[in-house]
Amino acid sequence: MKRFDCLKIAAEEIGDALVISTVGGAAAEWNSIRPGDGNLRCRTLGLVSSIAMGLALALPNRSVVGLDGDGALLMNACGLPTLAWQNPPNLTLLVFDNGIYEASGLRRTATSAGADLMAMAKAAGVKNASWATSLDDFRRLLQEAKSRRALSMIGVKSEAGVDYFKTWQQLPSFEYNEVENLYRFMRHIEKLEGRRMVPLPGPKH
Amino acid sequence: MAADNGPKLIVEAMKEAGVNFVASLPDVNLSKLLAAVDEERELTHVTLCREEEGIGICTGAYIGGRTPAIIMQNAGFLNSCNALTTTALNFNIPMLLMIYYAGDIGDEGFSTLGSVTEPVLRGLGLRYYVLRKNDEIGATVKGAATLAVDSRRPVAVLLAKDVLGMRR
């Protein structure tokens, strides 16, 4: 399965969910499929699941989706039990496992040697963690995640390799740096929530 | 003997500063402070497995409108340096870093950790304030929280055993 095809399906299924994307190709692909201020691009390998969890806890009435990868989830594997413990029902984590550090030189990750991220998630206490076996199955799992209103993880064994790397490298560049991305994202949430998120500036002198 | 109401004063100051989201990883010297946090029902309190994830969780909470603080030992601060750099500093995220200062003057067993703590804080460009007296708790914690928001960066408070009610 191609990650790009999965992300197109995700864009159809997740509505106006707030999306936190991991470092690397998934962010560029998502940005080309669903551009806009409802996306925040993470810059720390591994931290998508944690940032998305914090956001989901802070906004319990809003859907949050994290786009994660194998290298990232392996780096922050100790975040899985924390995620299961907090168990935010409004969070869905999509994990694209291509078995390589795609954005960092294409070398293999431990999942290429058999580490099973959904099994790890289940062992950490995440009840709903499944591998999608096809694009149709991926769509079905997304729909299930939406209707069950419980923390869900969906894994995809996605296509890897130099050709794929070249494809996402040709996608449009990001228009904003991290800080502008953050403020646009927070202003977007302010509009949805109808209340202030960004702290007020200091005194008028 | 130091008065042992420090933990209560710290939590009161955090609440007065608007903190309503706490991530923590225990240390025996943080026991009384974490117990005081748990007494506050309106504080969301997330127990971590590793401190670096806590920087991400606090970042997410901040984006969602909360005022976050992370309570950890200085070893945990070292664990969280990449996240502090590439997330908190990179994205202008204010948060209070409440760090137990293991290896501070008079301690035994953590002198190496104690010796690198302040240089690493300075290396990251993080403002920090060492808190050793109960009568300085309110002003320091509230001042650090104000500075975090105003500078749009994490600000650290190094907590000596004295203010944690743990000095023997």
Side-chain angles (χ1 to χ4, degrees):
Chain A
M1 274 184 280
K2 283 195 168 69
R3 183 176 59 207
F4 197 84
D5 295 330
C6 292
L7 290 173
K8 281 197 283 194
I9 291 170
E12 291 165 14
E13 296 294 338
I14 66 169
D16 65 351
L18 300 169
V19 172
I20 315 281
S21 63
T22 186
V23 297
E29 291 182 358
W30 180 251
N31 183 55
S32 74
I33 294 166
R34 196 195 84 169
D37 292 342
N39 305 320
L40 184 74
R41 185 165 66 112
C42 174
R43 302 293 286 147
T44 306
L45 188 68
L47 234 50
V48 154
S49 50
S50 302
I51 296 171
M53 189 188 97
L55 185 62
L57 292 175
L59 299 173
N61 297 319
R62 217 152 274 293
S63 293
V64 178
V65 172
L67 307 180
D68 222 340
D70 48 333
L73 201 59
L74 288 166
M75 177 161 281
N76 195 23
C78 57
L80 288 169
T82 312
L83 198 57
W85 188 352
Q86 295 302 319
N87 201 24
N90 52 331
L91 176 59
T92 301
L93 202 60
L94 309 181
V95 183
F96 295 98
D97 178 4
N98 54 16
I100 55 168
Y101 291 101
E102 185 185 56
S104 326
L106 304 168
R107 290 183 64 84
R108 292 168 61 194
T109 68
T111 65
S112 74
D116 183 328
L117 294 171
M118 293 304 114
M120 284 167 63
K122 277 187 182 160
V126 178
K127 289 192 180 71
N128 307 297
S130 311
W131 289 108
T133 55
S134 65
L135 288 174
D136 286 342
D137 193 40
F138 179 71
R139 187 187 294 277
R140 182 187 62 81
L141 287 170
L142 268 174
Q143 289 169 346
E144 271 181 21
K146 194 160 57 177
S147 60
R148 77 161 66 91
R149 296 184 179 280
L151 171 65
S152 305
M153 286 180 65
I154 303 170
V156 173
K157 289 287 185 185
S158 57
E159 195 173 300
V162 174
D163 290 343
Y164 198 82
F165 178 75
K166 284 179 182 159
T167 304
W168 72 255
Q169 285 275 292
Q170 286 159 8
L171 290 170
S173 304
F174 294 97
E175 291 181 57
Y176 315 114
N177 65 25
E178 295 86 349
V179 176
E180 189 170 359
N181 188 184
L182 174 88
Y183 280 111
R184 284 174 168 265
F185 189 61
M186 289 180 77
R187 295 301 188 197
H188 175 78
I189 298 171
E190 282 182 342
K191 277 185 201 148
L192 293 175
E193 290 282 304
R195 62 189 166 100
R196 194 161 184 100
M197 298 282 166
V198 179
L200 289 165
K204 300 175 193 144
H205 56 69
Chain B
M1 199 187 86
D4 63 1
N5 63 338
K8 193 76 196 158
L9 294 174
I10 292 170
V11 173
E12 278 170 18
M14 286 168 64
K15 278 173 60 188
E16 281 176 41
V19 171
N20 51 19
F21 189 100
V22 176
S24 76
L25 204 142
D27 178 281
V28 66
N29 289 293
L30 292 169
S31 300
K32 291 176 183 173
L33 177 57
L34 295 179
V37 170
D38 277 336
E39 279 175 25
E40 304 294 336
R41 296 283 169 201
E42 68 270 35
L43 283 178
T44 306
H45 186 185
V46 176
T47 299
L48 306 166
C49 297
R50 181 181 157 90
E51 295 84 352
E52 183 156 35
E53 58 164 327
I55 304 302
I57 293 165
C58 285
T59 295
Y62 166 76
I63 294 168
R66 300 293 199 99
T67 302
I70 179 166
I71 300 175
M72 58 190 169
Q73 203 223 59
N74 41 353
F77 157 66
L78 296 183
N79 268 346
S80 57
C81 284
N82 181 41
L84 282 167
T85 305
T86 57
T87 290
L89 289 170
N90 211 18
F91 282 88
N92 289 10
I93 308 293
M95 65 178 74
L96 262 185
L97 311 176
M98 305 294 285
I99 302 171
Y100 162 53
Y101 199 167
D104 188 24
I105 184 169
D107 289 352
E108 292 177 316
F110 293 94
S111 62
T112 308
L113 180 57
S115 70
V116 305
T117 300
E118 292 186 51
V120 172
L121 280 161
R122 284 196 294 273
L124 293 175
L126 293 173
R127 309 281 291 272
Y128 67 93
Y129 301 88
V130 183
L131 195 45
R132 295 199 178 95
K133 293 178 181 157
N134 279 10
D135 60 7
E136 293 173 356
I137 287 173
T140 304
V141 173
K142 283 185 274 185
T146 300
L147 185 56
V149 170
D150 193 56
S151 61
R152 300 170 292 279
R153 295 161 77 87
V155 173
V157 179
L158 293 174
L159 307 163
K161 279 182 185 170
D162 312 76
V163 295
L164 294 169
M166 300 301 290
R167 184 69 74 187
R168 284 173 290 172

